[in-house]
Amino acid sequence: QLRIMCMAKGFKLNDVFDRLQTALDAVEAIDGIEFAKSGKYGFVTSCPSNLGTGMRASVHVKVPNLTSDGTDTKAKAAAKPLGLSVRGTGGEHTPIGADGTIDLSPSNRLFITEAEIITKLYNGIKLLLEKEEAAGAPAPAAAAEAEA
């Protein structure tokens, strides 16, 4: 099992994904390295929830107006209809950042394509920043960290 992470500040999800793809292509080009892959199900990983693409992508978005009550309730309400989960910046079961930073990622990782993951994140960032702006101060221009 191999875990490769690509991170960058800002909202340029395609740039981060392109860097990830370049890294994966380099690893897969090494003689003797083969990853378990099913023609029907995609990559077989140690975590069944990641069967398929094997990719987990998330963004850290600062939404202090939506989290001004100390909870992520408003952010979760906005994200859920888009099929996105909100959690703390330290991962599952961690609190949101003191500055209102949340981790946003697709709820469903089973049988979802890379393109669907990036599209969901893009739409989620756009919606959350619109709701953040409506809830108070203007949305931050580039206060996110993308991880793919």
Side-chain angles (χ1 to χ4, degrees):
Q1 182 176 351
L2 177 67
R3 179 177 181 172
I4 298 174
M5 294 177 62
C6 292
M7 299 171 68
K9 294 233 182 241
F11 295 120
K12 295 184 179 180
L13 300 177
N14 286 341
D15 288 352
V16 177
F17 180 77
D18 289 345
R19 285 182 32 230
L20 174 65
Q21 187 62 54
T22 299
L24 292 174
D25 289 344
V27 170
E28 289 177 342
I30 298 170
D31 284 337
I33 290 185
E34 286 186 41
F35 293 97
K37 187 174 183 180
S38 160
K40 182 175 180 181
Y41 299 113
F43 285 98
V44 179
T45 67
S46 61
C47 180
S49 67
N50 289 332
L51 185 66
T53 172
M55 183 176 96
R56 180 192 181 278
S58 68
V59 291
H60 288 181
V61 183
K62 195 180 293 188
V63 287
N65 295 320
L66 290 177
T67 58
S68 62
D69 63 355
T71 73
D72 56 12
T73 304
K74 292 176 189 168
K76 282 183 175 179
K80 189 174 182 175
L82 297 177
L84 297 167
S85 293
V86 171
R87 56 190 186 173
T89 57
E92 236 177 333
H93 311 296
T94 62
I96 57 174
D99 62 354
T101 301
I102 59 162
D103 180 275
L104 184 69
S105 65
S107 303
N108 191 1
R109 287 189 282 285
L110 190 60
F111 305 121
I112 185 171
T113 68
E114 289 90 349
E116 290 169 324
I117 290 170
I118 298 301
T119 300
K120 281 182 179 283
L121 285 175
Y122 176 83
N123 291 336
I125 292 167
K126 184 174 184 248
L127 178 66
L128 279 172
L129 292 179
E130 287 170 0
K131 294 208 177 270
E132 172 68 9
E133 189 170 4
E145 182 178 325
E147 171 185 324

